[in-house]
């Protein structure tokens, strides 16, 4: 999963960049085996979070969140979004990138992994 894909026809394929801790940034090729395992586990947990499409409602007067607090851009009808267990929503790409650095909700600071892991225990 974290292996660099081969370059095709002389084109440079960028090596993915990961954040083993919030303050560290390293290329995938520089990660230890333990860091690769932790990142793969985190990616697996993120994929279990529900996603959807932003729909403000027919009349638009619903009291819904209208802005992604990560990028501070307004949600637009049809934007891919992800829901956290605390019920906050974000643009899919914004929150997935955030969760690769910190597994807490950027709005309420609730730990995301604790809620996910407890949902596994109750099933």
């Amino acid at each position: 999963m974290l292996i660099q894909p081969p370059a095709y026809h002389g084109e440079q394929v960028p090596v993915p960049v990961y954040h083993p801790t919030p303050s560290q940034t390293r290329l995938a090729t520089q990660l230890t085996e333990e860091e690769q395992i932790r990142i793969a586990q985190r990616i697996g947990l993120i994929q279990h979070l529900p996603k959807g499409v932003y729909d403000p409602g027919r009349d638009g007067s619903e009291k819904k969140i209208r802005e992604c607090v990560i990028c501070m851009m307004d949600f637009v009808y049809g934007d891919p979004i992800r829901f956290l267990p605390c019920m906050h929503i974000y643009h899919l790409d914004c929150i997935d990138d955030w969760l690769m650095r910190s597994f807490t909700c950027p709005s309420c600071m609730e730990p995301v992994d604790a809620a996910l892991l407890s949902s596994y225990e109750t099933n």
Side-chain angles (χ1 to χ4, degrees), residues 45 48-49 85-86 103 110-123:
L45 285 173
H48 281 88
L49 293 168
C86 56
F103 231 54
E110 280 291 315
V112 173
D113 52 351
L116 270 175
L117 294 173
S118 68
S119 72
Y120 284 124
E121 292 169 4
T122 58
N123 289 342

Side-chain angles (χ1 to χ4, degrees), residues 74-99:
D74 286 342
F75 290 112
V76 176
Y77 179 84
D79 280 351
I81 57 172
R82 190 174 296 281
F83 302 88
L84 296 189
C86 56
M87 300 310 292
H88 288 115
I89 64 169
Y90 303 94
H91 287 120
L92 185 75
D93 291 341
C94 295
I95 194 62
D96 286 3
D97 186 54
W98 174 276
L99 293 172

Side-chain angles (χ1 to χ4, degrees), residues 30-110:
Q30 298 171 327
L31 296 172
T32 66
E33 186 175 341
E34 183 179 298
E35 289 168 338
Q36 289 180 26
I37 291 169
R38 269 200 321 268
I39 288 170
Q41 289 170 331
R42 185 169 280 205
I43 291 169
L45 285 173
I46 291 169
Q47 297 307 312
H48 281 88
L49 293 168
K51 54 185 173 181
V53 174
Y54 184 74
D55 182 355
R58 274 176 252 169
D59 59 5
S61 66
E62 284 184 44
K63 289 196 170 205
K64 281 193 172 186
I65 297 169
R66 299 183 195 286
E67 178 184 83
C68 174
V69 300
I70 298 172
C71 68
M72 300 178 71
M73 299 291 291
D74 286 342
F75 290 112
V76 176
Y77 179 84
D79 280 351
I81 57 172
R82 190 174 296 281
F83 302 88
L84 296 189
C86 56
M87 300 310 292
H88 288 115
I89 64 169
Y90 303 94
H91 287 120
L92 185 75
D93 291 341
C94 295
I95 194 62
D96 286 3
D97 186 54
W98 174 276
L99 293 172
M100 287 303 295
R101 300 166 197 242
S102 172
F103 231 54
T104 58
C105 173
S107 296
C108 66
M109 302 312 286
E110 280 291 315

